[in-house]
Amino acid sequence: MNRNVWMLSVCQALLMTGNILLISVIGLVGKQLAPSTNMITLPVAMQFLGLMCATIPASLIMGKLGRKKGFSIGNLIGITGASTVAYALSNQWFTLFCVGSFLLGIGIGFGTLYRFAAIEVCKPEMRDRAISISMVGGVFAAILGPNLAVFSVELSDDGLYTSAFLALVALNVLALFSAAVYSVSSSAGETQPTCQRSD
């Protein structure tokens, strides 16, 4: 299996870890910052709205610019969103928290295409194996995500889980650098590698 599949699997694991971390704390933060009980789940709704709004545009962008640049854009948006949320929490600014949550959703929308990219870089007979490797990241994320949420929350002394979103920034930065070593195929004319068996 070539390097691209492994790097995309790492990116997929980082995305899912960040998503689990986000789901673990975003509702709790909303409960503390929302001006009324009717708006507690608004940040969660904004996250999913961002995800839905990004899915099709992300595909179009990657079709035009290539997967590598598309994933980089998604990670940069994720970094911006997590940084915005961290700033909003430090100032207890609910509206900006919702804006940051929307940006995080957009970043996740781009990241949902990692597994499809892993399939694209493989020969047809190797795609099942590539999918399996990519999905293994979900197993690690299921373990790492909740534990990272607990650990980061323990580091927050403001009661608003700011450290959790700083950890989310770090996950997006790691994904950005992981995607940077991914040499990818696309309609933009990049060369498409093929998966090779390790033996």
Side-chain angles (χ1 to χ4, degrees), residues 2-198:
N2 73 13
R3 183 183 65 178
N4 280 341
V5 173
W6 290 107
M7 296 314 300
L8 288 167
S9 298
V10 169
C11 291
Q12 175 80 6
L14 291 170
L15 171 75
M16 297 180 74
T17 300
N19 201 15
I20 293 172
L21 171 61
L22 182 60
I23 291 172
S24 299
V25 300
I26 191 171
L28 298 174
V29 176
K31 182 178 180 180
Q32 296 187 47
L33 288 185
S36 71
T37 55
N38 294 329
M39 301 180 71
I40 288 176
T41 57
L42 181 58
V44 180
M46 293 299 292
Q47 176 201 339
F48 282 98
L49 179 62
L51 170 60
M52 290 186 293
C53 289
T55 303
I56 294 177
S59 298
L60 296 175
I61 289 171
M62 291 185 189
K64 184 70 174 179
L65 301 178
R67 293 285 195 195
K68 184 174 183 177
K69 292 180 180 178
F71 288 137
S72 296
I73 291 171
N75 286 318
L76 288 172
I77 294 174
I79 292 169
T80 302
S83 301
T84 300
V85 168
Y87 178 79
L89 293 181
S90 66
N91 291 275
Q92 299 190 26
W93 190 353
F94 181 73
T95 301
L96 189 61
F97 176 58
C98 292
V99 172
S101 298
F102 179 77
L103 293 175
L104 284 170
I106 293 176
I108 293 170
F110 276 79
T112 56
L113 300 175
Y114 282 127
R115 60 186 183 276
F116 298 111
I119 296 173
E120 290 174 356
V121 298
C122 287
K123 293 179 179 179
E125 63 271 18
M126 297 293 292
R127 287 177 178 172
D128 290 344
R129 187 176 178 187
I131 293 172
S132 298
I133 293 174
S134 178
M135 296 310 294
V136 164
V139 177
F140 288 103
I143 299 171
L144 182 59
N147 284 283
L148 183 58
V150 172
F151 177 72
S152 59
V153 166
E154 289 176 350
L155 294 178
S156 298
D157 55 4
D158 55 4
L160 290 174
Y161 312 101
T162 304
S163 296
F165 291 95
L166 294 178
L168 197 55
V169 172
L171 290 172
N172 277 279
V173 169
L174 288 173
L176 178 64
F177 282 105
S178 296
V181 298
Y182 163 50
S183 47
V184 126
S185 63
S186 89
S187 58
E190 294 168 307
T191 302
Q192 177 167 342
T194 56
C195 286
Q196 301 293 333
R197 293 185 180 274
S198 57

